Amino acid sequence: MITWRDVVAYINTRYKIAEQDGSLIKLVFETPGGRSQMVLVARHVPGGSPSEEWVQIASPIAPVNRINVIAVLQDVSELICGGLAIYGDLLFIQDSFPLANMQVNELERPLYLITASADRLERKYVGADIF
């Protein structure tokens, strides 16, 4: 079983952290074509029980008013990792995982898939690199 502390230590040894605040880590990855993509890794504790920690990986795609949300929803129906959510005025792709049954290295693939999907969707539907 891993904990949020293990996740933080793992990320600290492998990635350059843009910002970090207790239960939130902000990363910025370089993506193909000279683009970049912001990714947030957050700790969640459903019901406030510290014995049940989850990690959420989320990446913004676009302001909601600058994107055809229906088209993006149809596009993400083919993805194996990630769903759409709106936080404030931004559309994100995100996924969450319980830490109890994970090994810390199992974050790699979902982190890559969320980052790549967000960058692809931003490029396709916004046509600019805003995140």
Side-chain angles (χ1 to χ4, degrees), residues 35 61-62 66-67 119-130:
R35 297 171 56 83
I61 299 168
R66 288 190 56 188
I67 196 163
D119 186 58
R120 180 185 66 81
L121 292 167
E122 180 187 44
R123 184 179 45 233
K124 180 177 179 178
Y125 291 101
V126 179
D129 186 13
I130 57 178

Side-chain angles (χ1 to χ4, degrees), residues 18-119:
E19 291 179 39
Q20 185 173 349
D21 173 23
S23 62
L24 180 68
I25 300 170
K26 178 182 172 184
L27 305 166
V28 178
F29 292 102
E30 298 302 317
T31 58
R35 297 171 56 83
S36 64
Q37 190 63 41
M38 178 177 61
V39 179
L40 304 173
V41 180
R43 174 183 184 250
H44 290 278
V45 182
S49 171
S51 64
E52 187 184 0
E53 289 184 300
W54 285 60
V55 66
Q56 180 182 64
I57 301 169
S59 187
I61 299 168
V64 175
N65 64 358
R66 288 190 56 188
I67 196 163
N68 180 339
V69 176
I70 300 298
V72 179
L73 281 166
Q74 291 169 330
D75 201 328
V76 300
S77 68
E78 301 296 321
L79 299 179
I80 60 166
C81 182
L84 294 178
I86 295 173
Y87 296 104
D89 65 345
L90 298 178
L91 182 65
F92 280 76
I93 185 166
Q94 68 174 31
D95 214 330
S96 301
F97 313 92
L99 294 179
N101 299 317
M102 289 184 75
Q103 299 295 317
V104 73
N105 64 329
E106 292 178 306
L107 291 171
E108 287 295 327
R109 191 66 177 151
L111 185 60
Y112 169 79
L113 291 171
I114 294 294
T115 303
S117 295
D119 186 58

